[in-house]
Amino acid sequence: ELKVEQNPLFLSMQEGKNYTIYCNYSTTSDRLYWYRQDPGKSLESLFVLLSNGAVKQEGRLMASLDTKARLSTLHITAAVHDLSATYFCAVDNTGANSKLTFGKGITLSVRP
Amino acid sequence: DVKVTQSSRYLVKRTGEKVFLECVQDMDHENMFWYRQDPGLGLRLIYFSYDVKMKEKGDIPEGYSVSREKKERFSLILESASTNQTSMYLCASSSPWEREGADTQYFGPGTRLTVL
């Protein structure tokens, strides 16, 4: 059974500093997705990582995938308040009708 | 842009009532999913469908059923609502990997259901 773990579950960040959050998964997969959820809102797709070594960047966020380590990282550069949200990673159950298994999410809060 | 809509943003029902949650997508996606989201538990898959009239159980199907009569519409049914079904319900859709090269799921705005 595929398990997806995210840590930490909550992170208080100081504005202007850099941080990294992690997503580990338990079985072989080379497809990983990051989503963002603002309070009271739905999930929005952020990044799609489809191979070992894939790196995607959008603004202050950079996501990477190491399929051998079964690990994805989301790096935040110079945190700003607008990045406060919950971030989910999801892993493809390859061959299982496009099912994704989601982590429990990491809630980021950026303080001045 | 992909658009996934859900019939209600907020819904209040009484224990024992039959509840219908509707989801419609406008991007001709084959795959559709129903999740529930609870604090500390993340997203849990209830049912999914990869074609009209096809359905498969997810991780927590008990107490729920689904219907997919048309490609664009996927309904979640609570046959007899109970208080432990109070939750946020999220619908999502996607295209098969073979068509898009990815399984990105696009989510609707969610329905917050309260069962009294």
Side-chain angles (χ1 to χ4, degrees):
Chain A
E1 181 191 346
L2 173 59
K3 291 189 188 302
V4 180
E5 291 187 359
Q6 293 186 249
N7 62 83
L9 292 185
F10 180 83
L11 183 61
S12 178
M13 305 189 293
Q14 192 170 353
E15 253 183 0
K17 293 201 169 179
N18 301 335
Y19 296 87
T20 301
I21 60 177
Y22 302 92
C23 173
N24 293 87
Y25 54 98
S26 61
T27 64
T28 302
S29 176
D30 42 354
R31 304 176 199 168
L32 189 138
Y33 306 79
W34 282 95
Y35 287 84
R36 169 183 171 140
Q37 185 178 37
D38 291 302
K41 302 285 179 79
S42 192
L43 277 74
E44 174 188 354
S45 178
L46 274 180
F47 298 111
V48 179
L49 303 169
L50 299 176
S51 61
N52 186 41
V55 177
K56 293 280 181 76
Q57 181 156 9
E58 176 83 24
R60 299 174 186 275
L61 300 178
M62 184 174 72
S64 63
L65 179 61
D66 180 345
T67 59
K68 294 178 183 174
R70 299 176 187 169
L71 172 70
S72 179
T73 59
L74 185 64
H75 186 73
I76 299 143
T77 301
V80 293
H81 184 262
D82 283 353
L83 293 179
S84 297
T86 299
Y87 293 82
F88 292 90
C89 64
V91 178
D92 196 318
N93 292 294
T94 308
N97 291 326
S98 304
K99 278 176 60 177
L100 298 181
T101 298
F102 285 80
K104 291 187 178 179
I106 297 175
T107 298
L108 303 184
S109 176
V110 181
R111 65 184 188 280
Chain B
D1 277 352
V2 176
K3 193 166 184 186
V4 181
T5 57
Q6 294 183 229
S7 50
S8 305
R9 291 299 306 275
Y10 300 93
L11 208 52
V12 179
K13 296 291 181 180
R14 298 212 173 269
T15 302
E17 281 193 78
K18 191 169 186 175
V19 182
F20 293 86
L21 303 182
E22 300 278 321
C23 175
V24 178
Q25 50 93 5
D26 67 357
M27 282 302 292
D28 200 34
H29 283 169
E30 283 80 357
N31 306 318
M32 296 188 76
F33 307 84
W34 275 107
Y35 296 89
R36 64 178 282 178
Q37 183 178 20
D38 300 287
L41 297 178
L43 272 73
R44 292 181 290 166
L45 182 64
I46 305 171
Y47 268 97
F48 66 102
S49 168
Y50 51 90
D51 202 350
V52 176
K53 297 193 186 293
M54 304 298 286
K55 59 185 179 184
E56 285 200 23
K57 293 179 180 179
D59 301 316
I60 52 163
E62 297 78 19
Y64 303 94
S65 62
V66 289
S67 171
R68 191 158 181 209
E69 296 296 320
K70 293 185 178 181
K71 190 175 185 180
E72 67 271 18
R73 188 180 298 269
F74 192 34
S75 302
L76 179 70
I77 303 153
L78 287 66
E79 294 289 342
S80 177
S82 64
T83 54
N84 63 13
Q85 292 178 309
T86 292
S87 187
M88 170 71 91
Y89 290 87
L90 293 168
C91 174
S93 71
S94 71
S95 276
W97 168 267
E98 295 77 14
R99 177 144 68 106
E100 293 289 324
D103 288 318
T104 305
Q105 292 184 14
Y106 298 89
F107 284 81
T111 296
R112 187 165 293 282
L113 173 67
T114 301
V115 182
L116 302 175

